[in-house]
Amino acid sequence: MQDQMDIKTFFTILKKRVISILLVTFFVFILVGAVSIFVMKPTFESMESIVVGDLNKQSTEYGESRELNMLLASTIDFIKSPIVLNLVRNEFGMSYEDLEKQVVVQNTKDSQIVNVVVRGSNAKETEKIANMIVATTVDKMNDLFDVNDIYVLSDSPNQTSTEKVGSTTLNLGIGLIVGLLAGIGTAFLREHLDDSIRNVTQIEKELGITVLGDVHLKKKNSRRHLRNDLPIQTDKQMEVVEGEKNNEVSV
């Protein structure tokens, strides 16, 4: 296959290898669907928020916001500290590494709200972990550092927003796209590895010469096969044979 390819050649290859493309796409689609339904566990995301500082205070009351920035940064670091995570992991019987991977701390610039996001395969457990992390963080910050301007932002106690992340339909759509791309890639790979020449145009392109003519060879039928195809009249043939013996021919 040539290094440079025009659009016409591209679609010609797609048309010639359409069977391979469809087979690969179908195989990848079925594989992704089976993995999404029978292997992958659903993922749930729970989020709880912490408010750092009193939102009603003016920035000048925090020493030109330096004190507030220090308190905010300290709170973000303290959320994933061993003091907090060890208490939570002991409660749920988890390892420190697994719990740390599930917890994500989010904070928008110039915002006093810190979001704690926990992801897991169990919706109820994920909700309880998020709630316990923020509650433990606030309690320990108040006890160890005597910080009063930090509290949990929630509509009601023990209520955490939990949502399911991803869906089977989305995975199937991704599988269909990946399968189609894999099928196209397989088609072009087969075309690249195929060195056979099938028509006169390929000869002229590869060798740069003009072909004056081509010969189409067809398999000849055997003489016995031809005889079997011809209609035979048995009675007249017997009369001819008997007449030949007597040097007579009757029609």
Side-chain angles (χ1 to χ4, degrees):
M1 190 172 61
Q2 295 180 348
D3 295 335
Q4 295 182 352
M5 181 183 304
D6 55 8
I7 298 179
K8 183 178 180 180
T9 306
F10 175 81
F11 285 104
T12 301
I13 295 175
L14 293 183
K15 182 179 180 180
K16 184 170 63 174
R17 304 289 183 180
V18 64
I19 303 285
S20 300
I21 296 175
L22 293 178
L23 289 177
V24 173
T25 303
F26 179 76
F27 175 78
V28 174
F29 179 78
I30 294 298
L31 181 62
V32 172
V35 172
S36 300
I37 296 174
F38 300 106
V39 179
M40 293 180 60
K41 296 180 179 180
T43 302
F44 297 93
E45 182 178 273
S46 299
M47 186 177 69
E48 191 67 85
S49 301
I50 298 176
V51 178
V52 179
D54 191 350
L55 297 179
N56 295 323
K57 286 186 178 182
Q58 300 295 327
S59 60
T60 54
E61 298 185 36
Y62 284 107
E64 295 181 356
S65 74
R66 291 182 181 179
E67 182 181 346
L68 178 61
N69 291 334
M70 292 178 60
L71 180 59
L72 186 62
S74 300
T75 303
I76 294 174
D77 293 336
F78 192 74
I79 290 174
K80 299 189 71 173
S81 66
I83 298 176
V84 176
L85 296 186
N86 281 330
L87 291 175
V88 177
R89 76 176 184 86
N90 291 333
E91 181 70 21
F92 294 93
M94 303 172 59
S95 64
Y96 182 86
E97 292 76 12
D98 293 340
L99 180 59
E100 187 179 19
K101 292 178 181 178
Q102 294 181 12
V103 179
V104 178
V105 181
Q106 300 174 346
N107 175 248
T108 307
K109 185 178 179 181
D110 298 330
S111 175
Q112 295 177 231
I113 298 177
V114 179
N115 297 320
V116 178
V117 180
V118 180
R119 292 184 178 181
S121 58
N122 189 302
K124 292 294 183 181
E125 184 177 276
T126 303
E127 181 179 344
K128 292 179 180 179
I129 291 175
N131 186 269
M132 186 174 181
I133 287 177
V134 296
T136 304
T137 300
V138 172
D139 292 340
K140 290 298 180 181
M141 290 284 289
N142 292 332
D143 294 339
L144 297 177
F145 307 107
D146 194 21
V147 177
N148 297 322
D149 292 338
I150 177 173
Y151 52 91
V152 178
L153 179 63
S154 179
D155 294 336
S156 58
N158 300 325
Q159 290 293 326
T160 307
S161 59
T162 304
E163 298 180 354
K164 186 177 181 180
V165 180
S167 63
T168 304
T169 304
L170 178 62
N171 293 336
L172 291 177
I174 296 175
L176 181 62
I177 296 175
V178 173
L180 183 61
L181 295 177
I184 295 175
T186 303
F188 279 91
L189 179 62
R190 290 187 59 187
E191 186 71 18
H192 179 74
L193 298 177
D194 189 3
D195 296 331
S196 60
I197 297 177
R198 296 183 177 86
N199 51 50
V200 175
T201 305
Q202 287 182 312
I203 297 176
E204 293 179 344
K205 287 184 177 180
E206 295 293 336
L207 301 181
I209 60 177
T210 302
V211 178
L212 299 179
D214 59 335
V215 179
H216 297 278
L217 299 177
K218 295 183 180 180
K219 185 177 179 181
K220 294 183 178 180
N221 296 325
S222 61
R223 184 176 299 177
R224 182 178 301 177
H225 182 70
L226 291 175
R227 288 180 179 178
N228 292 334
D229 292 341
L230 294 176
I232 300 176
Q233 297 180 2
T234 308
D235 295 338
K236 291 186 178 182
Q237 184 178 6
M238 292 298 296
E239 292 179 1
V240 172
V241 173
E242 292 179 355
E244 287 180 350
K245 292 179 179 180
N246 300 326
N247 295 327
E248 296 178 358
V249 178
S250 60
V251 179

